[in-house]
Amino acid sequence: LNFLEQALKSEKFKFIKGDLLDSPCLEKALEGASRVYHLAANADVRHGTEHPAKDHEQNTLATLKLLEAMRKNGITQIAFASTGSVYGEAAVIPTSEDCPFPIQTSLYGASKISAEGFISAYCEGFNFQAWIFRFVSILGERYSHGHVYDFYSQLLKDPTRLKVLGDGSQRKSYLYVGDCVSAIEVAIEKSTEKINIFNLGSQGYCEVKDSIGWITRYLNVNPEIEYAGGSRGWVGDNPFIYLETSKIQSLGWSPTLSIQQGVERTVQYLENNKWIL
Ligand SMILES: NC(=O)c1ccc[n+]([C@@H]2O[C@H](COP(=O)([O-])OP(=O)(O)OC[C@H]3O[C@@H](n4cnc5c(N)ncnc54)[C@H](O)[C@@H]3O)[C@@H](O)[C@H]2O)c1
C-alpha cells in the first residue's frame, strides 16, 4: 500500500479507474505507457459454471481489447497473469511449461489459455513481446479469496466447527505474493525472448489438511472438521497441482517463504484486516 501511495503521488504514475471492456477509456488510460502489467481478471474459478459468459468476457475478451488498445498506442510489451489452471488435470506432475497440450477443466482456465493465445498471436502478428506467468494460488497480503479466507472467516464466526470442501487430501502448491512479484521482476529483467512463459510456484505442495493444521494452530482453536467428501472441492478443482519451476529458478529466483509461512502470513494479514471479510 505504501508503494502504491507513493507511486500515485509521483508524477511517473497516473491512476485511472475504468473497465477493460470500455475501449475508448482503455486507450486513453494507456497513453504514454511503455509496458502493460495485465492482472485484471475474473479470478473466481470455483463459481465459473454459474455464469458461463463471465470468464470469456473478463479474461479473454478484456485481454483482446487490451491488446488492441496497446497496439493503437504503440505499446508492445505485456506481462500477463495467467494461471496454473490452464494445465487442467495435468498428466505430468510437476507440470512444466512445455507439458503436453492440456485439456481444460474450468471455464477460467479455458479463458486464460485463450488470452495467452491472443497474446502470443499479437507477438507474432504485431511484434509484441510478452511475459506470461502461470501462477499457482497466491498467498499473503491483500489476499481476498481462497481456502485460507474461507477457513478464517468460518472460524471467526464459530471456532468450534470447520466445513471443508472435498476430503482434505487435495494437494496444492502455493506461493507468497512477495515472491510472486519478485519472480515477475526477475523474469522481465532477465528473459528477453519474444514470448517468455514461466510457471511461478513453490518447490513443493501441501494437503488441504496440512493447511487446516497450520491455520488452527496459529489461531489456537480446535474445531470439529466436517469434510464434504470427494476428491475435488468443486467442478474444475484440480486435486493435485504442482508446477515445475526450474525455468524461473534458473534465472536466480527462489521463494523466500515456505508454503506454511505463506499460509500463516495470510492468516496474520486477515486478522489485522478483518474489513476484507
Ligand atoms: N490469486 C491467485 O491465487 C491467482 C492465481 C493464479 C492466477 N491469478 C491471476 O492473477 C491476477 C490477479 O489475481 P487476484 O487474486 O489479485 O484477483 P482479484 O479478483 O483480487 O483482482 C482482479 C481485479 O481485476 C478487476 N477486473 C476484473 N474485470 C475487470 C475489467 N473488465 N476491467 C477492469 N478491472 C477488472 C477486478 O475488479 C479485481 O480488482 C488475475 O489475473 C488472476 O487470474 C491469481
Side-chain angles (χ1 to χ4, degrees):
L1 198 58
N2 282 342
F3 168 77
L4 194 61
E5 279 166 3
Q6 292 304 319
L8 294 178
K9 278 185 206 150
S10 108
E11 300 221 327
K12 237 176 118 184
F13 292 88
K14 59 182 171 179
F15 179 72
I16 296 171
K17 190 173 178 182
D19 188 338
L20 288 181
L21 297 171
D22 174 357
S23 295
C25 165
L26 189 53
E27 282 162 33
K28 190 151 182 41
L30 292 186
E31 275 171 16
S34 51
R35 180 186 298 144
V36 171
Y37 290 78
H38 176 30
L39 301 168
N42 170 47
D44 173 17
V45 200
R46 183 169 146 195
H47 297 107
T49 50
E50 290 166 23
H51 35 65
K54 197 167 174 182
D55 287 302
H56 167 69
E57 286 164 7
Q58 302 294 324
N59 301 347
T60 314
L61 188 58
T63 302
L64 181 58
K65 286 189 178 257
L66 173 62
L67 290 165
E68 264 307 279
M70 288 174 64
R71 192 169 71 83
K72 287 187 180 153
N73 274 286
I75 306 161
T76 55
Q77 291 194 331
I78 181 167
F80 176 57
S82 186
T83 167
S85 298
V86 300
Y87 296 121
E89 292 193 16
V92 184
I93 296 175
T95 311
S96 63
E97 291 87 347
D98 58 359
C99 71
F101 193 80
I103 292 178
Q104 299 307 311
T105 54
S106 67
L107 296 172
Y108 171 70
S111 67
K112 285 282 188 176
I113 196 96
S114 311
E116 283 194 21
F118 279 112
I119 291 170
S120 307
Y122 269 65
C123 288
E124 287 303 322
F126 304 110
N127 218 14
F128 276 35
Q129 185 179 24
W131 291 266
I132 293 172
F133 299 99
R134 296 175 180 157
F135 311 157
V136 295
S137 293
I138 302 300
L139 296 169
E141 291 79 9
R142 292 186 276 289
Y143 179 93
S144 62
H145 51 91
H147 86 280
V148 186
Y149 182 101
D150 282 352
F151 293 170
Y152 180 75
S153 34
Q154 283 190 55
L155 291 169
L156 199 63
K157 280 189 206 124
D158 181 358
T160 66
R161 291 180 65 219
L162 182 65
K163 288 188 177 175
V164 179
L165 297 173
D167 61 8
S169 67
Q170 301 98 304
R171 288 167 290 176
K172 307 274 179 173
S173 194
Y174 296 94
L175 182 66
Y176 173 60
V177 65
D179 290 324
C180 178
V181 172
S182 68
I184 291 173
E185 285 173 340
V186 167
I188 291 176
E189 188 191 323
K190 297 193 175 168
S191 187
T192 55
E193 301 292 318
K194 188 190 280 192
I195 302 168
N196 306 276
I197 302 180
F198 288 95
N199 286 340
L200 299 188
S202 297
Q203 274 177 295
Y205 55 86
C206 67
E207 286 195 359
V208 171
K209 279 179 187 158
D210 297 323
S211 190
I212 294 171
W214 299 329
I215 295 167
T216 53
R217 265 197 298 281
Y218 187 92
L219 295 172
N220 201 16
V221 294
N222 189 18
E224 194 172 316
I225 298 171
E226 199 180 302
Y227 291 102
S231 57
R232 288 168 187 75
W234 56 85
V235 176
D237 182 27
N238 182 353
F240 188 14
I241 180 155
Y242 174 31
L243 303 184
E244 170 65 67
T245 53
S246 54
K247 185 173 173 193
I248 183 70
Q249 297 208 23
S250 72
L251 299 182
W253 171 89
S254 59
T256 59
L257 293 196
S258 66
I259 296 178
Q260 178 175 350
Q261 288 169 323
V263 168
E264 289 168 351
R265 189 75 78 95
T266 310
V267 180
Q268 186 185 31
Y269 170 75
L270 293 174
E271 280 219 290
N272 294 332
N273 294 277
K274 292 201 179 73
W275 59 270
I276 217 161
L277 304 166

